Amino acid sequence: MADFAGAWRTGKTERSARISFATPELLWKVLTAKRWELLKALCGAGPVSIREAARRVDRDVKAVHGDVTALLSAGVLDRAEGGGIVFPYEAVKVEFLLQAA
């Protein structure tokens, strides 16, 4: 099993969320290198349009739209009020366990 855990603040309270994947391979299928780059560009940025997200990572809008759709489906990104997207976490930790059979 692999976990993607995020933390965010609401006022003085820190909250967290955990998204679990059945295998590390599935985690890396969802969090590709390009999608990870996109998340880094969105971290702390607040709500942005897909076009703005594409500009920040210097990629084609259509390709970024596909990545955003996958990350929304996985629960990693949220839709913002007004139609943009938002990466709601201040910090992220990715964990997976590798042990002998």
Side-chain angles (χ1 to χ4, degrees), residues 13-53:
T13 307
E14 184 171 304
R15 299 182 179 221
S16 63
R18 181 176 298 269
I19 302 167
S20 293
F21 296 87
T23 64
E25 291 79 16
L26 184 55
L27 171 105
W28 298 126
K29 185 175 181 180
V30 173
L31 292 177
T32 64
K34 294 283 187 184
R35 291 176 186 165
W36 190 255
E37 179 185 355
L38 179 60
L39 295 179
K40 289 192 308 187
L42 296 175
C43 191
V48 299
S49 67
I50 292 175
R51 184 172 302 284
E52 173 60 17

Side-chain angles (χ1 to χ4, degrees), residues 72-92:
L72 285 166
S73 294
V76 177
L77 290 178
D78 288 338
R79 285 255 178 230
E81 292 183 29
I85 54 167
V86 64
F87 183 62
Y89 308 107
E90 289 183 350
V92 171

